């Protein structure tokens, strides 16, 4: 599936596009980059999961309070 994103920058910059094949090749060729990539990916996923858990707790609490009224 193709994915798209809109990006705005504060200063002029260059943007690179990497395919999944490009990323896999880089990770296969450079173990240090692979370790860093997966460490950062794990941090990002952990943060998203924590936020999702917080959101579910808030919604559950709100629903419980609404049903008690």
């Amino acid at each position: 599936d193709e994915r798209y994103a809109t990006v705005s920058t504060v200063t002029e910059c260059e943007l690179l596009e990497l395919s999944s094949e490009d990323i896999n090749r880089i990770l296969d060729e450079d173990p240090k980059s692979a370790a860093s990539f997966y460490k950062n990916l794990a941090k990002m996923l952990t943060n998203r999961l924590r936020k999702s858990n917080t959101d579910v707790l808030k919604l559950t609490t709100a629903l419980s309070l609404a049903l008690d009224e």
Side-chain angles (χ1 to χ4, degrees):
D1 294 334
E2 286 193 35
R3 299 182 75 180
Y4 299 91
T6 300
V7 177
S8 299
T9 63
V10 176
T11 61
E12 187 173 326
C13 65
E14 288 187 40
L15 180 67
L16 301 176
E17 178 182 359
L18 294 172
S19 67
S20 59
E21 292 84 12
D22 293 332
I23 293 171
N24 288 330
R25 182 180 44 78
I26 293 167
L27 296 179
D28 287 342
E29 292 174 1
D30 186 356
K32 283 187 177 182
S33 291
S36 179
F37 176 85
Y38 287 117
K39 181 179 178 182
N40 288 321
L41 179 61
K43 285 181 182 179
M44 181 184 70
L45 292 174
T46 300
N47 289 335
R48 287 184 181 182
L49 182 57
R50 282 188 182 125
K51 183 183 179 318
S52 293
N53 287 342
T54 299
D55 291 346
V56 167
L57 180 60
K58 288 178 183 177
L59 289 170
T60 303
T61 302
L63 178 60
S64 177
L65 290 172
L67 292 175
D68 285 344
E69 291 180 1

